[in-house]
Amino acid sequence: MKIKTKLQIATVVSLTVALVIGSILFFSAQQVNNAIKKDMATDEIIKGLFELNILTNSYLLHHEERAKTQWQLKHDSIKKVLEGVEVKSPEKMVLLGRLRDSHKDIKTVFSQMVLNYEGYRDEKSGVPQELNEMLVGNLETKSRSMVSDAYQLAQISSAKVTASQKRAYLLVLLFTLIIVVVVATVSFSIHRGVVKPIRKLHKGTEIIGAGNLDYKVGTMSKDEVGQLSRSFDQMTIQLKESFVGLEKEITERKRAEEEIRKLNRVYAVLSDINQAIVRVREPQELFETACRIAVEKGNFPLGWIGLVDEATQKVRPVASAGQSDSYLKMINISLKDAPRGYCPIDNALREEQHTICNVIGQDWELAPCQKIALELGLRSSASFPLIVSGKILGAFNLYAGEPDFFDEEELKLLDELALDISFAMEFAEKETERKRADGEVRKLNVELEQRVVERTAQLEAANKELEAFSYSVSHDLRAPLRSIDGFSQALQEDYGEKVEGQGKDYIRRIRAATQRMADLIDALLTLSRVTRSEIRLEEVNLSRLARTIATDLQKIQPDRQAEFIIAEGLTANGDARLLRIVMENLIGNAWKFTSKKKNVCIELGSLKQDDGKLAYFIKDNGAGFDMAYADKLFGAFQRLHGTEEFSGTGIGLATVQRIIHRHGGRVWAEGEPEKGATFYFTFD
Amino acid sequence: METKIILLVEDNPDDEMLTLRALKKNNIMNEVVVARDGAEALNYLFSIGKYTEGDLIKKLAVVLLDLKLPKIDGMEVLRRIRDDEKTKLLPVVILTSSKEEQDLINGYKFGANSYIRKPVDFDKFVEAIRQLGLYWLVLNEVPPTG
């Protein structure tokens, strides 16, 4: 039965009982009320009877009309009371009948008395005593009988009330008992059906709450608590299912987190080593840094790099970090041996790909070094070959403290790392080569610079020497010439008469030669000066310069007729003094080589060249030259004409060329024998 | 009027002879004192060493100074002449074979009054000496000496 039903029953029973008790109480109260009412009626009757007695006596004594009227009124009121009383029991009906009868009789008696009095009032003797007494006695008797009846009636009523009250008490007691029994029953039932199972449920929740999801409350009752228990059990089952799922998920997540942690370690190593690759140029330093980073950042207990020795083909550890010494001492791998593949490093080097040993102590690869590796707490290892320009140079080896550390993801990253280190090695190799080449170039440069310095010094010395030489030439070479000339002259003057005919010609020839020698010296000095002197650039008016020179020439030989055509406003950027030498030489040459012509025309002009630069030219219609010898024109001491034909040192054009070259320009000539020559020159 | 002295500073005996000949040819009869190196010239000018005849400077009309000289070169001689209060105003004509720019510049910088390059052609040399004598001995007025 459901608790709800149980409670409903208990409520209905309780309400019914309460209703019954209420009815009983109401009913008994009604009875008591009735009894009291009757009691009051009898009281009134008794009181009325006493008053009637008094009024009777009063009338008897005084015979007043008022008493008689009062008596009548009282009697009527008693009559009314008697009529108002209702009774049911026969005993009471008898009593009440008697009371009514006596009431009527009293009146009759009192009326007799009144009649008597009035009948005898006129008579002096009055009413006979005996009659009067008999009537009064009768009246009193009747009254007493009435009082007695009334009392009796009242007594019966009160006895009835008492009885009904007693009955009501009994009933209330009974029903109270019933309530107690019902309540006790219900509470017992609730205790049994609710509290106990709830306690059990509570215990169950505590057990399940403590983590035992296998516990079942197992209540079989069909009430709500039973349903609750079953739901609870169901829930526990579902909870367990989801808990198992959750646990599985957590495990999965933990594994993923672990993987991420691992990858992060590897990433950190990759990133730091890559930074180191950028920073560190020296391979040995890079190896050491890489191993150190693997241990510090990657938390690998051991990392080392081994290189294959070219000569012995043995793997030689070159850098390591972590717990390495005792382990590395054990490493003895030679590629010369028949492939044994007892070690990942060996395998990595032979197969040119990474080789892993994921559980040291179980995998076969590490056999010879297993014991010591295990002692060092190394549980898995991986080796990555370092390949430079297609050649295996060594391997990068990493050891992890946990088994199965290296899986696909890590290997992918670490392969990349090995590639990066390989690349750095290649780079370093190239860098070394480049540095060596650089060093050589630098050495050569230094040597060259040294040579330049030496050459410059030599050149300076040579220049100094040349200067000294020029100075010496200027002074010392001319002095003897002057002596030769002077004394030749003196000879002629002082001993002229003794030197005759041919002799005089000899003296003339001596003096001419002397003069030519002097000219030559001067020309040489000019050439040397042109080479040595510093160039000061300024704008030089070539037209004006040409005119001055032409005027000078005309002055020296006023008898010569020549037409000068000088273009106006020709300027050039150059050293004024040197350009003067150029113009003097070129115009001088034109003047000289037209000396045997008539209608001489000497022209200064300019023309734009193919490259847009301006070329100046000096053109004459003089002796000209054979273009076959054009290349000889500008050489020092080169002459295309005999001294007899045209005087000259053969240095003039060499000087011109040197000056033009020193200005960064070019000079060239065109000519035809007997038609004239044109000399072109440009400036930078 | 007392004829003035020409001081010829010349180490080359040929040049000395030719110069004297040229002077003679131009009828320049002044006494010519020849010093054969810079030191000798300075000794003469400052009356030290073997020339102790006293104050010669007042008697000097002009110094013909070669540049390339043994012991002390012409430029140094010129510098010393111009450095000394007594000789500061003495007319000095550089008479040399050199046409070197540097010599010309330095010569004038150190206070030479003229710079004449000896021509190789003796005729031209005679002409140069003639003009030189005419100018410095006749035309030129020397500053008063105290």
Side-chain angles (χ1 to χ4, degrees):
Chain A
M1 196 191 287
K2 284 191 177 177
I3 292 169
K4 195 178 162 194
T5 322
K6 281 182 188 168
L7 282 172
Q8 275 171 351
I9 291 166
T11 312
V12 168
V13 169
S14 299
L15 281 174
T16 314
V17 169
L19 213 63
V20 168
I21 290 172
S23 309
I24 292 165
L25 287 175
F26 178 76
F27 186 67
S28 70
Q30 200 75 10
Q31 271 186 332
V32 169
N33 244 11
N34 280 346
I36 287 169
K37 249 187 215 170
K38 278 174 190 163
D39 210 14
M40 272 166 70
T42 52
D43 273 358
E44 216 169 305
I45 290 164
I46 292 165
K47 219 168 95 192
L49 285 174
F50 275 119
E51 279 172 19
L52 277 181
N53 263 352
I54 292 162
L55 288 169
T56 308
N57 286 336
S58 166
Y59 183 76
L60 283 177
L61 281 172
H62 306 290
H63 295 289
E64 288 169 342
E65 199 60 28
R66 191 183 46 92
K68 187 179 96 183
T69 314
Q70 276 182 339
W71 197 96
Q72 288 287 345
L73 283 171
K74 193 44 91 176
H75 186 267
D76 285 348
S77 76
I78 291 169
K79 188 184 170 194
K80 242 184 227 169
V81 175
L82 279 175
E83 278 168 358
V85 178
E86 281 172 31
V87 286
K88 279 163 190 159
S89 65
E91 191 184 1
K92 278 182 179 177
M93 274 160 100
V94 171
L95 281 173
L96 194 58
R98 253 193 356 231
L99 269 173
R100 283 174 182 157
D101 292 341
S102 300
H103 182 262
K104 273 177 197 160
D105 292 343
I106 288 172
K107 195 169 178 179
T108 316
V109 171
F110 187 71
S111 301
Q112 193 61 50
M113 277 171 69
V114 171
L115 279 173
N116 281 349
Y117 173 69
E118 284 172 355
Y120 289 104
R121 205 174 24 185
D122 303 330
E123 297 174 11
K124 279 284 184 184
S125 59
V127 180
Q129 198 71 31
E130 294 96 25
L131 180 63
N132 222 15
E133 278 177 7
M134 191 198 62
L135 282 172
V136 172
N138 197 5
L139 192 68
E140 273 180 2
T141 308
K142 289 271 183 213
S143 288
R144 272 188 212 114
S145 148
M146 272 182 79
V147 171
S148 166
D149 282 345
Y151 272 122
Q152 214 172 331
L153 191 67
Q155 237 168 10
I156 289 167
S157 282
S158 86
K160 232 178 166 177
V161 168
T162 311
S164 84
Q165 272 181 333
K166 205 181 259 176
R167 199 171 53 241
Y169 287 141
L170 278 173
L171 277 172
V172 167
L173 199 67
L174 175 70
F175 283 103
T176 306
L177 266 175
I178 290 170
I179 284 181
V180 167
V181 168
V182 167
V183 167
T185 310
V186 167
S187 69
F188 175 73
S189 160
I190 285 174
H191 182 263
R192 206 169 143 254
V194 178
V195 177
K196 237 169 110 185
I198 281 181
R199 204 169 287 155
K200 204 176 164 193
L201 192 60
H202 175 71
K203 202 181 145 201
T205 55
E206 274 182 345
I207 289 168
I208 288 161
N212 185 0
L213 291 176
D214 293 326
Y215 185 82
K216 297 263 182 312
V217 179
T219 308
M220 296 310 286
S221 69
K222 284 178 180 161
D223 58 13
E224 287 91 333
V225 178
Q227 278 175 353
L228 184 64
S229 295
R230 278 191 293 282
S231 299
F232 192 77
D233 284 347
Q234 195 61 33
M235 187 193 79
T236 311
I237 288 163
Q238 277 177 0
L239 200 63
K240 195 186 171 188
E241 272 171 18
S242 66
F243 189 72
V244 167
L246 202 67
E247 234 171 22
K248 218 168 122 191
E249 200 175 307
I250 286 169
T251 314
E252 190 64 30
R253 192 162 293 179
K254 266 189 188 160
R255 207 191 54 74
E257 271 173 16
E258 189 53 41
E259 181 61 32
I260 285 170
R261 239 194 306 279
K262 266 162 65 184
L263 275 177
N264 276 345
R265 279 163 63 184
V266 177
Y267 266 125
V269 171
L270 180 65
S271 156
D272 278 30
I273 290 182
N274 273 339
Q275 280 177 30
I277 285 172
V278 174
R279 196 178 61 247
V280 180
R281 286 273 171 267
E282 219 283 304
Q284 179 59 33
E285 196 190 337
L286 177 64
F287 294 155
E288 280 161 14
T289 311
C291 292
R292 192 166 42 73
I293 288 169
V295 170
E296 285 174 7
K297 289 277 174 153
N299 239 350
F300 292 105
L302 169 61
W304 64 279
I305 288 174
L307 294 184
V308 179
D309 192 288
E310 288 260 1
T312 61
Q313 286 293 295
K314 275 194 169 187
V315 175
R316 183 170 47 86
V318 292
S320 68
Q323 318 142 332
S324 51
D325 288 350
S326 53
Y327 181 75
L328 291 183
K329 273 181 202 150
M330 291 288 297
I331 300 289
N332 182 17
I333 301 159
S334 173
L335 293 184
K336 269 199 260 181
D337 298 350
R340 280 186 291 171
Y342 67 90
C343 190
I345 310 131
D346 184 37
N347 210 54
L349 291 173
R350 286 177 201 280
E351 304 293 327
E352 301 190 12
Q353 62 182 22
H354 65 243
T355 306
I356 53 168
C357 169
N358 251 339
V359 186
I360 292 177
Q362 277 178 25
D363 289 13
W364 51 275
E365 288 94 338
L366 270 181
C369 325
Q370 264 180 11
K371 196 165 162 268
I372 191 147
L374 281 171
E375 276 170 17
L376 289 170
L378 310 176
R379 298 294 287 127
S380 54
S381 79
S383 293
F384 304 88
L386 300 172
I387 303 169
V388 173
S389 315
K391 199 175 155 203
I392 298 250
L393 290 193
F396 182 40
N397 311 289
L398 280 176
Y399 296 76
E402 48 276 72
D404 289 315
F405 182 87
F406 301 98
D407 62 22
E408 212 174 310
E409 291 290 318
E410 282 80 19
L411 288 174
K412 222 157 82 186
L413 288 175
L414 290 168
D415 271 342
E416 211 173 290
L417 178 59
L419 276 180
D420 290 345
I421 294 176
S422 301
F423 171 76
M425 287 166 75
E426 192 175 344
F427 183 80
E429 217 169 66
K430 282 181 182 161
E431 184 74 2
T432 312
E433 179 59 29
R434 197 183 61 74
K435 270 190 189 153
R436 201 188 53 73
D438 266 10
E440 243 163 54
V441 167
R442 208 166 299 132
K443 204 175 130 199
L444 275 176
N445 269 342
V446 167
E447 277 176 20
L448 209 65
E449 258 167 45
Q450 184 58 34
R451 225 176 287 168
V452 166
V453 167
E454 279 168 17
R455 280 286 155 83
T456 309
Q458 280 174 7
L459 223 74
E460 270 170 15
N463 251 340
K464 281 248 169 68
E465 235 164 68
L466 195 66
E467 247 170 72
F469 173 73
S470 301
Y471 195 76
S472 182
V473 166
S474 179
H475 280 88
D476 302 347
L477 226 52
R478 287 164 60 90
L481 289 178
R482 219 170 21 254
S483 298
I484 294 166
D485 191 76
F487 290 117
S488 307
Q489 177 75 359
L491 196 64
Q492 196 176 16
E493 281 170 9
D494 295 0
Y495 305 96
E497 63 277 15
K498 287 186 181 167
V499 181
E500 289 172 352
Q502 197 72 28
K504 281 183 182 162
D505 184 46
Y506 292 160
I507 287 174
R508 190 191 57 77
R509 281 180 189 275
I510 289 169
R511 291 193 66 195
T514 311
Q515 190 55 52
R516 212 166 43 249
M517 182 75 179
D519 289 346
L520 211 54
I521 288 168
D522 279 352
L524 271 175
L525 285 175
T526 304
L527 180 63
S528 130
R529 203 164 29 246
V530 158
T531 312
R532 283 179 289 133
S533 72
E534 207 180 304
I535 288 184
R536 283 184 295 267
L537 292 179
E538 58 185 296
E539 197 183 73
V540 180
N541 190 326
L542 295 180
S543 304
R544 194 187 304 151
L545 198 54
R547 267 195 303 277
T548 314
I549 293 163
T551 313
D552 286 353
L553 288 170
Q554 207 89 74
K555 259 187 207 160
I556 293 168
Q557 289 179 285
D559 50 327
R560 273 193 63 182
Q561 299 292 318
E563 186 193 359
F564 282 94
I565 303 170
I566 294 166
E568 283 302 317
L570 290 184
T571 58
N573 199 31
D575 186 296
R577 208 169 35 82
L578 294 181
L579 291 196
R580 188 182 185 93
I581 294 172
V582 169
M583 296 300 276
E584 273 174 356
N585 267 293
L586 293 179
I587 297 174
N589 276 351
W591 179 260
K592 186 162 70 185
F593 290 108
T594 49
S595 58
K596 289 170 184 164
K597 292 268 177 178
K598 284 171 186 171
N599 304 321
V600 171
C601 180
I602 296 168
E603 185 187 351
L604 168 70
S606 66
L607 60 92
K608 201 160 245 176
Q609 283 182 276
D610 296 341
D611 61 2
K613 278 186 184 169
L614 211 57
Y616 307 91
F617 65 84
I618 286 167
K619 190 176 180 180
D620 66 63
N621 56 352
F625 62 91
D626 188 340
M627 280 301 274
Y629 307 114
D631 57 329
K632 284 192 169 180
L633 276 175
F634 297 98
F637 306 109
Q638 293 286 346
R639 287 177 53 84
L640 296 183
H641 302 276
T643 337
E644 294 302 312
E645 206 177 351
F646 295 106
S647 65
T649 55
I651 292 172
L653 285 178
T655 308
V656 166
Q657 190 184 47
R658 198 160 291 180
I659 291 172
I660 296 296
H661 283 178
R662 288 203 66 193
H663 281 79
R666 209 159 65 79
V667 61
W668 69 99
E670 285 168 6
E672 206 181 317
E674 298 312 318
K675 292 220 167 134
T678 309
F679 285 84
Y680 299 91
F681 56 98
T682 63
F683 298 102
D684 184 30
Chain B
M1 187 186 123
E2 196 185 344
T3 56
K4 288 214 163 185
I5 298 169
I6 294 168
L7 173 60
L8 175 65
V9 189
E10 176 62 71
D11 64 323
N12 187 333
D14 282 0
D15 273 2
E16 179 195 328
M17 203 170 169
L18 288 170
T19 309
L20 292 178
R21 187 181 167 87
L23 286 169
K24 203 169 135 195
K25 280 191 87 167
N26 287 308
N27 298 314
I28 297 168
M29 294 308 173
N30 298 55
E31 188 190 339
V32 176
V33 176
V34 179
R36 292 193 170 80
D37 59 49
E40 213 179 307
L42 291 174
N43 281 350
Y44 178 79
L45 284 170
F46 300 119
S47 311
I48 43 176
K50 69 181 192 187
Y51 300 99
T52 52
E53 286 171 35
D55 197 359
L56 288 166
I57 287 151
K58 288 176 193 163
K59 294 183 184 168
L60 278 175
V62 66
V63 179
L64 302 177
L65 181 64
D66 193 6
L67 286 181
K68 198 155 180 280
L69 293 170
K71 293 182 185 170
I72 298 172
D73 73 17
M75 242 13 126
E76 180 64 17
V77 172
L78 175 61
R79 205 180 57 73
R80 297 239 193 128
I81 287 172
R82 292 296 178 239
D83 273 359
D84 196 291
E85 203 57 42
K86 279 190 285 182
T87 55
K88 201 155 86 177
L89 302 171
L90 198 60
V92 177
V93 174
I94 292 173
L95 190 65
T96 177
S97 305
S98 166
K99 211 171 76 173
E100 288 291 302
E101 225 168 64
Q102 209 52 44
D103 283 343
L104 271 158
I105 292 166
N106 283 339
Y108 282 112
K109 198 157 82 187
F110 291 133
N113 298 77
S114 271
Y115 191 108
I116 292 163
R117 193 187 182 215
K118 297 177 203 166
V120 170
D121 188 330
F122 188 67
D123 292 335
K124 286 177 186 161
F125 186 61
V126 170
E127 175 59 18
I129 291 296
R130 190 187 69 77
Q131 288 192 16
L132 198 148
L134 178 68
Y135 183 81
W136 288 107
L137 298 172
V138 181
L139 296 172
N140 188 46
E141 291 288 345
V142 292
T145 49

